[in-house]
Amino acid sequence: MIGVFDSGIGGLFVLSALRAALPEADLLYYADTARLPYGARSPALIRRFAREAGERFAGWGADRVQVACGTVSALALDEFRAAANRPVSGVIAPAVREVIKSGVRRVLILSTEATARSLAFDRALTGEDPGIVPLSLGCPLFVPLIENGFFAKNDPALLSFIGRVLAPGQTFLPDAILLGCTHFRLLSPAISSLFPGVPLYDCGEAAARALAKTERSQGGGSLRVVVSDGPDRFLSAAENAGALPPGTVVECVGEV
Amino acid sequence: MIGVFDSGIGGLFVLSALRAALPEADLLYYADTARLPYGARSPALIRRFAREAGERFAGWGADRVQVACGTVSALALDEFRAAANRPVSGVIAPAVREVIKSGVRRVLILSTEATARSLAFDRALTGEDPGIVPLSLGCPLFVPLIENGFFAKNDPALLSFIGRVLAPGQTFLPDAILLGCTHFRLLSPAISSLFPGVPLYDCGEAAARALAKTERSQGGGSLRVVVSDGPDRFLSAAENAGALPPGTVVECVGEV
């Protein structure tokens, strides 16, 4: 059984990609909705959340876990892995490999504030290719916007907000944008409209592609979805985002 | 020593009003920033947060506590009081008294989603005067907007967002608006511009006025500010909102 972890609905796109690529794999998705949003917390608290989430997957007996949360991937993957005590992959290495392969130079990384401050994506990129020029931009409010259903393509208020947050990225003149938070995929039409012609790389898609290559599709193709608070709210946000098959049951396990 | 509790910066306006009215009172402000925003959580989780916050004030030896969080006042004041084991007041009763006194009839209550669903303000209003017609409107994203510094008066993107959320309130044709979340005070110019001529009642101001009437100002006029995560982030949000005197030190006690 493959576990997939996120703070909220962002990782559901990783889940969908894995279900499509590995139709017989048994999948367990866990969203820590009781403590969302992670990206506005301190590194110490994010590490604690990561440990507690890792322990949960150990308890559930997952064979391996895909951390589909950019913030945990950037700040606390080691803590998550130690607590889970099984193979754990994040979203940074696969995304960085895809970006490097494409040959782009000026890479604008959009992420949560905690991820941006960690410079984890920047370091991973320049570690692979010192010629890359990365710029990490922390995007406050993007995750709450998305979790509350504000991601419609042609919403002028949303575009105006996003434009203000992304303004420093426009003067950077990127030749690629790396979405370093799996939630941000829902804002990609809006982001693209502000950076016409600039290719977008989604860390969640890259991670799902990488995992699908190494895993074999075996099992009954089951899907279990678990949250730590508010299953109805989560289900409605997920359905609104088109990110869960109709009729999915969402279990609530409570906060740790 | 008087304790003041909120999930974030909203209660700081209650604190300011208390400092002005009771200059010699010793005050302790605690913001549970590790679990913010409360208003998007389930009632069970809000009750647990309230218990844990109440216990903290018991440990600090506060003589009494003003809960300056509309969500805890609406859903978990009894739990907070039992855990604190000392006199505790919320923000609902004082606001309801002021609204009733003013003689208005159609009252639009703006609050977090959890508070709106609880109907605590509605019931308190009609309990005092069955002729009152209340309408509670849950406002998702308002607290994250404010905590992230988006509350400028003439921000067209913000006005557009707020206008969309408040649209059902406009067709209700209120003759008064009750701000049932202490954060919302920062959005009052924007809210007023959408409801010209409709008076605003702020539950935080009403609570501070009520407490100042019953308490005596005694002590050294000290101020202690404590958060459960991210003291720097809190301080910058508070200063941005003009809600803390310059030079205030913010302590971090960690999550429970």
Side-chain angles (χ1 to χ4, degrees):
Chain A
M1 181 258 280
I2 303 174
V4 179
F5 173 71
D6 189 31
S7 63
I9 63 169
L12 287 173
F13 300 102
V14 178
L15 183 78
S16 303
L18 289 177
R19 290 182 74 224
L22 306 166
E24 284 156 39
D26 292 313
L27 295 163
L28 167 61
Y29 187 87
Y30 171 50
D32 189 10
T33 48
R35 281 96 73 91
L36 174 86
Y38 275 28
R41 313 292 179 199
S42 68
L45 193 54
I46 293 162
R47 286 194 292 269
R48 178 180 149 182
F49 290 169
R51 274 195 299 276
E52 291 173 353
E55 281 163 13
R56 291 208 146 162
F57 282 100
W60 289 318
D63 296 306
R64 67 167 300 128
V65 185
Q66 174 63 52
V67 170
C69 168
T71 306
V72 168
S73 299
L75 286 111
L77 200 61
D78 289 344
E79 282 82 358
F80 190 104
R81 190 178 284 125
N85 195 27
R86 57 209 65 229
V88 169
S89 41
V91 293
I92 297 182
V96 162
R97 276 197 298 274
E98 292 199 358
V99 168
I100 295 285
K101 225 176 171 176
S102 72
V104 295
R105 299 273 91 183
R106 298 178 69 79
V107 182
L108 176 65
I109 305 140
L110 305 181
S111 69
T112 66
E113 294 168 275
T115 300
R117 271 194 297 268
S118 79
L119 297 177
F121 277 96
D122 313 57
R123 288 189 184 126
L125 283 165
T126 53
E128 288 289 317
D129 179 350
I132 296 259
V133 183
L135 176 69
S136 262
L137 196 57
C139 303
L141 214 65
F142 278 24
V143 168
L145 279 166
I146 292 161
E147 289 283 334
N148 284 289
F150 292 99
F151 49 75
K153 271 179 222 188
N154 302 313
D155 179 340
L158 186 70
L159 271 175
S160 163
F161 257 118
I162 293 177
R164 198 176 323 160
V165 173
L166 299 188
Q170 290 183 301
T171 59
F172 174 68
L173 300 174
D175 46 41
I177 292 174
L178 203 174
L179 303 181
C181 170
T182 50
H183 280 84
F184 293 4
R185 179 200 161 101
L186 278 161
L187 296 177
S188 52
I191 294 168
S192 279
S193 73
L194 292 163
F195 293 91
V198 180
L200 250 58
Y201 293 83
D202 172 10
C203 68
E205 278 179 24
R209 268 194 289 270
L211 187 64
K213 267 185 206 163
T214 58
E215 283 294 305
R216 273 169 303 165
S217 182
Q218 49 188 18
S222 69
L223 172 62
R224 191 179 163 202
V225 179
V226 178
V227 296
S228 52
D229 192 46
D232 297 341
R233 185 186 176 90
F234 178 83
L235 188 59
S236 113
E239 287 181 340
N240 188 17
L244 265 184
T248 306
V249 174
V250 177
E251 297 168 54
C252 183
V253 289
E255 214 202 354
V256 175
Chain B
M1 182 257 282
I2 303 175
V4 179
F5 172 71
D6 189 31
S7 62
I9 62 169
L12 287 174
F13 300 102
V14 177
L15 183 77
S16 303
L18 289 176
R19 290 183 74 224
L22 305 166
E24 284 156 40
D26 291 313
L27 294 163
L28 167 62
Y29 187 87
Y30 171 51
D32 189 11
T33 48
R35 282 95 74 91
L36 174 87
Y38 274 28
R41 314 291 179 200
S42 69
L45 194 54
I46 292 162
R47 286 193 293 269
R48 178 179 148 184
F49 290 170
R51 272 195 301 275
E52 292 173 355
E55 282 163 12
R56 290 208 146 163
F57 283 100
W60 288 317
D63 296 306
R64 68 168 300 127
V65 185
Q66 174 63 52
V67 170
C69 167
T71 305
V72 168
S73 298
L75 285 111
L77 200 61
D78 289 345
E79 283 81 358
F80 190 104
R81 191 178 284 125
N85 194 28
R86 57 209 65 228
V88 169
S89 41
V91 293
I92 299 183
V96 163
R97 275 197 299 273
E98 292 199 357
V99 169
I100 294 285
K101 223 174 174 179
S102 72
V104 295
R105 299 275 89 185
R106 299 179 67 79
V107 181
L108 176 65
I109 305 138
L110 305 181
S111 69
T112 66
E113 293 169 274
T115 300
R117 271 194 298 269
S118 79
L119 297 177
F121 277 96
D122 313 59
R123 287 189 185 127
L125 283 166
T126 54
E128 288 289 317
D129 178 351
I132 296 261
V133 183
L135 176 69
S136 262
L137 195 58
C139 302
L141 215 63
F142 277 24
V143 169
L145 278 166
I146 292 161
E147 288 284 334
N148 284 289
F150 291 101
F151 49 75
K153 271 181 220 185
N154 302 313
D155 178 340
L158 185 72
L159 271 175
S160 163
F161 257 119
I162 292 177
R164 199 178 320 161
V165 173
L166 299 188
Q170 289 182 301
T171 60
F172 174 68
L173 300 174
D175 45 42
I177 293 174
L178 202 173
L179 303 181
C181 170
T182 50
H183 280 84
F184 293 5
R185 179 201 161 100
L186 278 162
L187 296 177
S188 52
I191 293 168
S192 279
S193 73
L194 292 163
F195 293 91
V198 179
L200 250 57
Y201 294 83
D202 172 10
C203 69
E205 278 178 26
R209 266 193 290 269
L211 187 64
K213 266 184 208 163
T214 58
E215 283 295 305
R216 271 170 304 165
S217 183
Q218 50 189 16
S222 70
L223 171 62
R224 191 179 164 202
V225 179
V226 179
V227 297
S228 52
D229 192 45
D232 297 340
R233 185 186 177 90
F234 178 84
L235 187 59
S236 115
E239 288 181 340
N240 188 18
L244 265 184
T248 306
V249 173
V250 177
E251 298 168 53
C252 184
V253 290
E255 212 201 356
V256 176

